[in-house]
Amino acid sequence: MKAVALFSGGLDSTLAIKLIVDQNIEVLAVNINTGFGSTKSRLEHMQNMCKQVGAELKIVDIESEFLQDVLFDPKHGYGKNFNPCIDCHAKMFAVAKRVMEAEGASFLISGEVLGQRPMSQNKDAMQTVLNESNCDGLLLRPLSAKALAPTIAEIEGWVDREKLEGIVGRSRDRQLELVKEIGLEDFETPGGGCLLTDENFAKKMFDFIKYDKFEVKDIPVMKFGRHLRLPDGAKLVVGRNKDENLHLQEIDNDKYYHIKTIALPGPHSLLGKNATTADKELAARIILTYCKTQENKTYTLSFDEEELTAVPFDSRDEIKPYTVM
Ligand code: SF4
């Protein structure tokens, strides 16, 4: 008997896997990458969790499918920010079901806990997700199983329902008891969660789609730097520190110029190739304003192969009207 688990790397999905592995069922932990996860890699953490509970890890990238089917026209709308959680969950279950069929597994599990997150984990939202992903009956939620209707795995006797949990609500007491019982270590998830739930990230997304068609190659551009929108419509991204500069340097996206200051330490920046001459000149002035420069001195910047000279603004206040975030 084999099950496929939707695995985030978090405590709940790790415990859910453990409850099933303990019933002598092989579990394949599937982590679905929408492209909008935190900028910190969680791979090592996920590998560690899977190792401790005895599951194999598989990462499934769905960036392009997620953009096409979920992100910009979610049937159930957005949460507080740019997060289409109900549609996203339904997509994840549909993908997990695909993996289940391909792997010859018999059912799905997830770490969802009834009533833990008011919007996406109440009974109605959970049922909507199951109906839309055609997973009704197939999905077992081991942490809340006793508070939910029996699923196929319980009805068929593949899983002993009595050994599952009936956790409801936001308290983590029972989960922490389970951590102790199984001796799970280093279970705190590193880094932030999904960027789509972040207010500032949402501002950048709403700004982006006003001006351009969002593509998979635009995802990394959104993750780093200070984002500005120039008067003629070009997007400017300016690295805020060494780490962001390194990430921006590595971006391979033909929509953007890579801009560097010449003979002056400065941030790495990206500017939309649709920039007018006025937007290019303004971008150069803005970038110089983030450098240690002398008043009224002219500096040179490279825009890919091209060079441009400009004078910095006197104050960063002059940049504010163009700042998205
Ligand atoms: S938080 Fe992000 S990854 Fe999670 S369901 Fe919502 S949109 Fe999807």
Side-chain angles (χ1 to χ4, degrees):
M1 185 58 60
K2 186 170 178 178
V4 163
L6 266 165
F7 180 60
S8 66
L11 177 59
D12 290 345
S13 51
T14 306
L15 292 175
I17 292 173
K18 177 69 175 156
L19 289 170
I20 298 305
V21 168
D22 281 352
Q23 299 206 23
N24 290 325
I25 293 168
E26 184 186 341
V27 177
L28 177 66
V30 170
N31 178 261
I32 297 179
N33 173 28
T34 61
F36 292 92
S38 128
T39 50
K40 295 197 178 74
S41 170
R42 300 163 80 195
L43 183 62
E44 214 178 295
H45 174 76
M46 291 195 286
Q47 283 166 336
N48 179 17
M49 289 300 104
C50 283
K51 198 170 159 209
Q52 289 190 64
V53 295
E56 190 193 330
L57 174 66
K58 182 183 175 85
I59 313 273
V60 180
D61 288 316
I62 61 156
E63 281 128 312
S64 118
E65 196 176 337
F66 186 71
L67 291 192
Q68 208 177 324
D69 303 345
V70 181
L71 190 57
F72 298 111
D73 192 17
K75 211 165 137 191
H76 299 281
Y78 295 99
K80 220 169 137 202
N81 294 302
F82 210 88
N83 49 318
C85 289
I86 295 179
D87 293 72
C88 176
H89 272 144
K91 171 56 80 179
M92 288 190 179
F93 285 121
V95 171
K97 190 178 172 197
R98 236 159 47 199
V99 175
M100 180 193 91
E101 286 161 357
E103 293 281 334
S106 303
F107 64 102
L108 299 173
I109 63 171
S110 81
E112 286 161 299
V113 170
L114 189 59
Q116 189 181 74
R117 295 196 187 118
M119 222 278 277
S120 59
Q121 294 190 5
N122 64 40
K123 251 185 190 169
D124 285 351
M126 280 175 156
Q127 194 53 49
T128 304
V129 165
L130 291 183
N131 295 345
E132 301 217 340
S133 53
N134 288 322
C135 287
D136 201 8
L138 277 179
L139 176 72
L140 171 66
R141 295 152 168 135
L143 294 178
S144 288
K146 285 180 181 163
L148 294 162
T151 62
I152 294 170
E154 295 149 282
I155 295 165
E156 295 289 329
W158 305 331
V159 169
D160 182 352
R161 183 172 163 91
E162 284 316 302
K163 292 184 181 154
L164 303 176
E165 296 290 324
I167 306 172
V168 176
R170 309 181 80 132
S171 160
R172 314 221 86 198
D173 294 351
R174 180 63 189 139
Q175 282 93 321
L176 294 174
E177 266 174 38
L178 288 169
V179 163
K180 271 200 191 142
E181 277 171 29
I182 63 178
L184 190 71
E185 291 175 350
D186 303 324
F187 58 86
E188 293 297 350
T189 315
C194 171
L195 291 169
L196 296 168
T197 61
D198 179 277
E199 192 184 340
N200 290 326
F201 193 84
K203 276 187 202 156
K204 292 189 278 184
M205 290 299 296
F206 282 118
D207 168 78
F208 192 106
I209 58 173
K210 259 197 259 163
Y211 293 88
D212 199 354
K213 184 179 180 309
F214 195 91
E215 297 169 73
V216 170
K217 65 183 176 187
D218 296 317
I219 299 175
V221 177
M222 304 303 281
K223 291 187 173 180
F224 305 99
R226 185 178 280 108
H227 287 234
L228 304 101
R229 184 65 64 183
L230 306 186
D232 292 339
K235 180 175 182 63
L236 173 66
V237 183
V238 183
R240 284 177 291 202
N241 53 45
K242 204 172 156 194
D243 185 49
E244 288 197 337
N245 290 338
L246 286 174
H247 282 290
L248 290 173
Q249 254 167 47
E250 279 165 17
I251 286 174
D252 182 18
N253 184 330
D254 56 7
K255 286 185 189 174
Y256 294 92
Y257 294 111
H258 281 264
I259 310 177
K260 283 183 265 186
T261 48
I262 296 177
L264 172 77
H268 192 91
S269 308
L270 302 178
L271 176 70
K273 283 192 178 161
N274 60 345
T276 58
T277 306
D279 274 356
K280 276 189 186 174
E281 285 167 3
L282 178 59
R285 295 197 73 187
I286 291 172
I287 294 163
L288 289 172
T289 310
Y290 287 110
C291 304
K292 279 198 181 125
T293 50
Q294 290 166 24
E295 241 174 82
N296 295 325
K297 193 173 163 189
T298 301
Y299 294 89
T300 308
L301 299 97
S302 69
F303 286 59
D304 289 349
E305 308 305 319
E306 222 182 300
E307 286 192 0
L308 214 143
T309 54
V311 177
F313 284 116
D314 293 340
S315 148
R316 288 190 188 175
D317 287 347
E318 298 191 55
I319 297 169
K320 276 191 189 150
Y322 314 113
T323 305
V324 176
M325 163 288 132

